[in-house]
Amino acid sequence: NLAAVGHRVVHGGELFSAPIAVDREIVHKLERFINLAPLHQPHNLNGIKAIAQLLPAVPQVACFDTAFHRTNPPVAQAFAIPRALSAEGIKRYGFHGLSYEYIARVLPGHTPRANGRVIVAHLGNGSSMCAMLERRSLASTMGFTAIDGLMMGTRTGAIDPGVLLYLMDNKGMGSPELTRMLYKESGLLGVSGISQDMRTLLASSAPEAEEAIDLYCFRIVRELGSLAAAVGGLDVLVFTGGIGEHAAEIRRRVCTRLAWLGATLDDAANAADRLRISTSESGVDLLVIPTNEEWMIAHHAQYLLAL
């Protein structure tokens, strides 16, 4: 007996800062954000529409990947653009919120420093990081769309806007070509020319694979430094997501560059994919915690509908 259906919806914009029961009007409002998350939002909404058609009596709940980051202070959400554009909602939203919310929820069970200065690295085909204080999001690497921030499987991550202007003016690239390049032809796949799969790249002896891995780790460390500055230091670093949970070599490359923050990696624990991969002397708790976005969605649906 199906009691409800919960959905991960990538973009809630400024309208939705918490899970919400879905009806036709809500779906129409969420369609406004399709151009902000073209790889995800249409499919998220198609799932809602399909359930509404097949099981119209079953309540549905939308849970937003942007909602967890609505606690970011205004300065962390703003772009340095004309005020009129900011007023239209062009700001940093952040994503992977359901993953971060789950980690924030379970973190006290794994470290006494859970309410301190925490950075969570959600590393996978889509990659981002979030800085927390009191288990609330204060800054994120993703911004207006899910392209920004870290290098990803096929996405560029942060890129100088001047590069896009150059490609428009000198290569004749328009919006469709740029969208394809930014979302589907860049990242690990674009740099290596081999694969977007980190497992394939780690197993490869090709120099192009090593270059892609090195750039991926460099971008993580650089963004990590920025997030640590935003919250005034680092007490806990959590790895999660497909790469974060399973790629010990990526964790090693990142953590060995964090000695300046007081982090010390336990190589044996890291190689064994243990939950705690820092040494007892480390000034930073280094943890590997599997995320569970599905559980978070189910929890929200149950709570919202009082099931």
Side-chain angles (χ1 to χ4, degrees):
N1 296 320
L2 193 60
V5 176
H7 298 264
R8 175 191 180 191
V9 178
V10 166
H11 218 302
E14 292 185 287
L15 290 178
F16 303 104
S17 58
I20 190 169
V22 178
D23 56 23
R24 186 174 298 179
E25 181 181 354
I26 296 296
V27 170
H28 289 327
K29 290 180 179 179
L30 292 175
E31 286 175 337
R32 302 177 192 172
F33 308 129
I34 287 177
N35 61 332
L36 303 185
L39 289 188
H40 302 87
Q41 197 85 350
H43 306 297
N44 300 156
L45 299 183
N46 284 341
I48 294 174
K49 294 172 185 176
I51 295 297
Q53 183 176 5
L54 292 169
L55 301 167
V58 175
Q60 300 189 73
V61 171
C63 303
F64 305 101
D65 258 346
T66 50
F68 185 70
H69 303 295
R70 299 282 54 79
T71 55
N72 284 189
V75 70
Q77 299 183 53
F79 290 115
I81 57 176
R83 297 185 69 86
L85 294 175
S86 298
E88 292 179 14
I90 300 179
K91 61 171 61 177
R92 300 184 65 88
Y93 289 100
F95 298 89
H96 289 142
L98 289 166
S99 175
Y100 294 127
E101 184 179 10
Y102 178 80
I103 298 299
R105 185 181 183 89
V106 302
L107 196 56
H110 301 301
T111 173
R113 310 171 80 183
N115 289 326
R117 301 162 298 182
V118 177
I119 293 177
V120 182
H122 179 107
L123 307 178
N125 193 49
S127 296
S128 70
M129 292 196 298
C130 172
M132 303 180 194
L133 200 59
E134 299 291 334
R135 289 185 287 144
R136 291 159 57 91
S137 174
L138 290 189
S140 172
T141 57
M142 282 185 169
F144 181 61
T145 68
I147 309 175
D148 200 10
L150 299 180
M151 172 183 174
M152 307 178 214
T154 62
R155 285 174 256 174
T156 58
I159 186 171
D160 182 347
V163 173
L164 307 184
L165 296 175
Y166 174 87
L167 294 175
M168 293 167 62
D169 293 340
N170 295 277
K171 299 294 183 180
M173 296 178 71
S175 179
E177 292 82 11
L178 288 174
T179 298
R180 185 172 62 250
M181 184 200 78
L182 292 169
Y183 278 102
K184 298 184 177 181
E185 299 175 346
S186 300
L188 292 170
L189 175 63
V191 175
S192 71
I194 298 171
S195 176
Q196 69 189 66
D197 194 315
M198 183 60 77
R199 294 166 296 187
T200 300
L201 298 179
L202 286 169
S204 174
S205 60
E208 295 85 356
E210 174 60 26
E211 184 179 339
I213 295 168
D214 192 41
L215 181 57
Y216 183 78
C217 294
F218 173 79
R219 293 284 289 271
I220 292 171
V221 172
R222 193 168 116 166
E223 290 286 353
L224 199 151
S226 171
L227 293 177
V231 291
L234 182 61
D235 298 312
V236 183
L237 172 61
V238 179
F239 292 93
T240 194
I243 295 174
E245 294 168 27
H246 303 294
E249 173 62 13
I250 300 302
R251 297 194 300 262
R252 186 192 69 79
R253 294 191 187 201
V254 170
C255 291
T256 52
R257 300 181 188 183
L258 301 181
W260 65 281
L261 284 169
T264 308
L265 181 69
D266 183 326
D267 290 313
N270 182 52
D273 291 332
R274 293 179 190 162
L275 187 146
R276 181 176 292 272
I277 59 173
S278 51
T279 66
S280 57
E281 297 83 17
S282 178
V284 176
D285 288 350
L286 304 173
L287 306 176
V288 181
I289 302 178
T291 192
N292 196 334
E293 294 158 303
E294 293 83 1
W295 185 93
M296 205 70 245
I297 294 168
H299 166 76
H300 282 309
Q302 184 179 34
Y303 180 81
L304 190 63
L305 300 173
L307 299 175

